[in-house]
Structure formats: C-alpha cells, structure tokens
C-alpha cells in the first residue's frame, strides 16, 4: 500500500524476575509484563518510526534484600497500538484483538522472582515474536472494482480528500472518511483498494483489501453503470456481471461477509446510455437466476447479495448523493435498533430464568 503499513512483526519479552534471598527466605520481584494498549490516532507506521528495532522488553524484578525481603515487580512495558489490531503468533494463529480505545492485551508475561520453590533463582520472562495485523474498523466499507468511482463518491459524501484520477488503482491504501449529519451524528466510511478478479486468491491486493471488509458493519457496493474492463487483455464486464463477480470474491474469501447488510450505488449516471443500462440492470437484479448464463460457471456465486437499497448516483452532477447519505444512515440505525432489541430480549430471558 505504498506508505501505508498494515502488518508489523515485533519481538516482545517479559522481564526476568529478581533474585531471592536464601538466608532469610526472601522473594525476588516478578518481571514486568509487555502490554499492547489500543489508542486512537496511533498507526503501525508511527510505531515502526518510534521503535525501529521493533523490540519491546519489560523491566527486571528487584532482588530480595535485607531491607526489602519481597522485591518490587519490574516495570511493565506498554505499547500503544491502533484500534482494529489482531495479534497473531508467528505461526499465524490469532491470540487476541483490540477494537476499542483503552483495551489491553498481555503480549508477554514477566518471569517469577526467586523463591523457595525455584531454589531462590529467578525465572526468565516469556519471549516471542508476534504480528500486529491491522483491519480497519468502519461503519461502511466501499467495495468495487478499480475505477468504479469509489474515491470520488467518498469525497462527495464525507470530509475525506482521497486522490482521484481517471485511471485504475488510484487508491493504493485504505482511506477513511466521516459522513456528518445535521444532528451531529457521524458515520465512518472506508474506501478500500480496488478489487480485481481473483482477489480471494491474493491476486492484486487480494487479502490486504479483503481483511479490511471484515471489520465493517455494512457493505456499499459501487458499480460503474457502463461496465468495467481492467485492461485490453481482460474481458469487458457489464454492471450486472460486475456485481456477481464482486459477490463471488467476497464469498470465496469469507462466506460470512455476505451476511452483512449491503447497499448498492450505481455510479456514473451522467454517462450517455446510462438510463437504458440502468433499466436493463434493474431487470437483471429482479430475476438474477435468468441471467447467470452470462458468466462462466466457476464465477457464479452460490448465493446472490440481497441489497437493502439500490441508489443511482453521479459524483459529477451530484445526483443521488444526498439520498445515498440518508439510506446509509437508515441502514445503520435499523441495524443498531435490531441489536438493541436482541440485547433486550437476552436480558429479559436471563431475568426470567433467574426468577
């Protein structure tokens, strides 16, 4: 992603314990722990710049002495990390995640101090290599092939200023914007690097893109009404085929992504023939089964996405922009209401069973 860092490999080591005092049965202090603490306005890039060695070692526990039979615990090492971090072992297994500001994760435990049990000799702290894997947290994730107009749409609906140009792959790193509403409600939107066919198999930006989709509450598919062709060597895809291919890529990467609420923005409605293309697309979306023969069998998704709303837009004329903002808001509010309702039902059920 150019200057954007989405993954960082770091070494963590808990502090060694302090020496015990055999003559008086004194215990050495425990070694300090290494903690990852989620903090806003922190990036993996800033961690790398501040700690080029990428080594985090906690303090050693104090030795037991005549003055202090119980040695003091070593100093903890706290590393501030961005929100939306998954902590992985060197073998790729996820051992924790940090999603909200202030959340903490124990990365390496300090060693025990010397005592009667350890023959008064201290223990070394836990040491390991871990990967910090960033997945953006946003309310809405923009999904679409390159040049669908996602960056232009983000700049129209939010306060973000992404790079916009008339060639594919303008977005080489995730962009976050916020939609501001009249009642001061804010909804975060992530414009993610353009998918290409085969992204699930890590082609193009593949998994680097798709992992960010996992943390968004809902999807906003952005499709060019005139269709899409990546290069002269690849096939031209109509808007309908594009929707099916995007669905297939999401499904192959992680099927659960298709259970997220989804909206569809049909972009570039200012182009010639856009109205005719839109009529054709709406027919195809009403009975998608009748048009699946347009694609090769391996490219057809097992289940099609159910869109809560379909909104024709144009970033050039401003058509549909305000409506899109209103629909995004409604979709997010409905989802929050549903979650609250489920929470209330659970609480009620717990009360009834306890009685």
């Amino acid at each position: 992603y150019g200057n954007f860092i989405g993954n960082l490999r770091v070494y963590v080591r808990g502090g060694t314990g302090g020496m015990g005092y055999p003559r008086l049965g004194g215990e050495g202090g425990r070694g300090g722990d290494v903690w990852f603490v989620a903090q806003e306005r922190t990036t993996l890039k800033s961690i790398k710049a501040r700690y080029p060695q990428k080594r985090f070692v906690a303090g050693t526990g104090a030795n037991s002495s005549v003055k202090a039979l119980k040695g003091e615990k070593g100093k903890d090492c706290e590393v501030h990390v961005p929100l939306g971090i998954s902590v992985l072992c060197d073998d790729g297994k996820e051992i924790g995640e940090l999603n909200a500001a202030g959340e903490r994760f124990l990365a390496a435990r300090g060693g025990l101090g010397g005592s009667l049990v350890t023959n008064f000799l201290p223990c070394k702290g836990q040491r390991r290599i871990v990967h910090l894997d960033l997945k953006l947290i946003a309310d809405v994730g923009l999904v679409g092939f390159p040049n669908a107009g996602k960056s232009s749409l983000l700049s129209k609906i939010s306060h973000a200023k992404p790079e916009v140009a008339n060639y594919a792959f303008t977005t080489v790193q995730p962009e976050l914007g916020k939609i501001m509403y009249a009642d001061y409600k804010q909804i975060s939107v992530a414009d993610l690097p353009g998918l290409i066919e085969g992204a699930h198999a890590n082609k193009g930006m593949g998994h680097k893109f798709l992992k960010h989709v996992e943390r968004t509450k809902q999807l906003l598919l952005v499709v060019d009404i005139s269709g899409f062709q990546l290069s002269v060597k690849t096939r031209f895809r109509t808007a309908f085929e594009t929707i099916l291919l995007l669905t297939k890529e999401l499904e192959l990467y992680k099927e659960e992504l298709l259970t997220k609420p989804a909206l569809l923005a049909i972009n570039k409605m200012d182009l010639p023939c856009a109205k005719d293309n839109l009529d054709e697309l709406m027919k195809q979306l009403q009975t998608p089964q009748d048009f699946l023969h347009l694609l090769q069998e391996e490219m057809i998704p097992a289940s099609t996405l159910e869109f809560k709303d379909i909104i024709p837009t144009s970033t050039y004329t401003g058509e549909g922009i305000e409506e899109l903002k209103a629909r995004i808001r409604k979709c997010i509010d409905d989802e929050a209401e549903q979650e609250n309702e489920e929470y209330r039902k659970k609480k009620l059920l717990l009360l009834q069973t306890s009685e």
Side-chain angles (χ1 to χ4, degrees):
Y1 290 158
N3 286 330
F4 181 82
I5 296 176
N7 189 294
L8 202 61
R9 186 170 179 262
V10 299
Y11 171 82
V12 289
R13 192 179 85 209
T16 307
M19 291 286 287
Y21 197 63
R23 228 169 26 158
L24 299 173
E27 280 185 26
R30 248 194 68 204
D33 304 318
V34 180
W35 292 89
F36 293 143
V37 184
Q39 189 182 53
E40 286 176 354
R41 296 191 182 87
T42 305
T43 62
L44 292 181
K45 190 180 175 184
S46 66
I47 296 172
K48 192 179 175 185
R50 197 171 170 193
Y51 308 100
Q53 302 293 322
K54 295 179 284 184
R55 286 171 63 87
F56 301 100
V57 181
T60 307
N63 293 335
S64 172
S65 64
V66 176
K67 289 180 183 175
L69 287 178
K70 176 77 174 156
E72 275 192 27
K73 184 178 183 284
K75 192 180 177 187
D76 285 350
C77 171
E78 287 196 354
V79 187
H80 290 130
V81 297
L83 276 58
I85 282 286
S86 290
V87 186
L88 312 171
C89 284
D90 217 15
D91 62 1
K93 186 186 169 196
E94 189 174 309
I95 50 174
E97 54 179 45
L98 299 155
N99 294 325
E103 279 189 5
R104 297 164 68 85
F105 173 77
L106 181 60
R109 195 181 290 280
L112 293 171
S115 64
L116 188 63
V117 180
T118 64
N119 207 15
F120 297 100
L121 294 171
C123 299
K124 287 185 175 179
Q126 185 183 12
R127 62 178 73 194
R128 58 182 170 182
I129 286 169
V130 294
H131 293 259
L132 300 176
D133 196 29
L134 178 67
K135 295 177 184 177
L136 287 177
I137 299 176
D139 296 313
V140 183
L142 299 186
V143 179
F145 284 138
N147 229 19
K150 300 191 304 300
S151 298
S152 304
L153 200 61
L154 182 70
S155 63
K156 286 284 180 190
I157 63 175
S158 76
H159 288 247
K161 292 181 174 60
E163 189 184 332
V164 177
N166 63 347
Y167 55 86
F169 294 116
T170 316
T171 305
V172 291
Q173 62 185 54
E175 284 277 357
L176 266 179
K178 275 197 163 59
I179 308 177
M180 317 285 258
Y181 292 91
D183 60 353
Y184 304 107
K185 164 97 173 173
Q186 295 182 15
I187 288 176
S188 57
V189 184
D191 170 25
L192 307 160
L195 271 174
I196 62 167
E197 286 177 41
H200 69 276
N202 223 1
K203 284 187 186 170
M205 296 188 180
H207 289 178
K208 283 183 178 177
F209 160 84
L210 286 161
K211 71 174 185 182
H212 293 305
V213 184
E214 289 179 58
R215 295 280 179 101
T216 57
K217 290 179 188 169
Q218 70 178 44
L219 307 177
L220 173 59
L221 266 70
V222 185
V223 171
D224 185 337
I225 188 61
S226 60
F228 168 71
Q229 187 172 15
L230 183 63
S231 71
V232 286
K233 292 177 185 174
T234 56
R235 283 185 60 177
F236 172 79
R237 303 291 186 192
T238 64
F240 177 68
E241 290 174 318
T242 304
I243 293 165
L244 290 182
L245 285 167
L246 286 170
T247 309
K248 184 69 176 174
E249 289 303 334
L250 295 172
E251 179 190 278
L252 287 170
Y253 177 71
K254 206 168 253 188
E255 243 176 292
E256 300 93 90
L257 292 179
L258 300 187
T259 61
K260 289 179 185 285
L263 294 170
L264 175 62
I266 300 165
N267 201 18
K268 304 192 182 181
M269 285 302 295
D270 52 281
L271 294 175
C273 305
K275 186 79 181 72
D276 296 340
N277 289 343
L278 180 64
D279 293 341
E280 179 69 18
L281 177 62
M282 294 309 275
K283 268 187 228 162
Q284 291 169 325
L285 287 173
Q286 274 164 9
T287 55
Q289 305 305 322
D290 299 345
F291 299 93
L292 293 180
H293 63 271
L294 296 170
L295 281 173
Q296 291 149 288
E297 203 170 327
E298 67 271 14
M299 292 180 170
I300 299 168
S303 56
T304 49
L305 266 173
E306 291 291 319
F307 296 109
K308 286 189 172 285
D309 268 310
I310 298 172
I311 308 106
T313 62
S314 166
T315 51
Y316 183 71
T317 63
E319 178 193 339
I321 298 297
E322 288 307 312
E323 188 189 352
L324 178 62
K325 285 162 75 169
R327 297 289 175 90
I328 290 172
R329 169 76 183 264
K330 186 180 184 305
C331 200
I332 291 282
D333 288 350
D334 288 352
E335 205 61 29
E337 184 55 43
Q338 202 175 324
E339 279 176 21
N340 288 342
E341 190 58 41
E342 282 170 15
Y343 179 73
R344 281 196 291 268
K345 281 178 184 170
K346 274 182 192 169
K347 279 282 186 191
L348 197 62
L349 198 65
L350 278 169
L351 282 169
Q352 286 168 349
T353 50
S354 61
E355 281 170 9

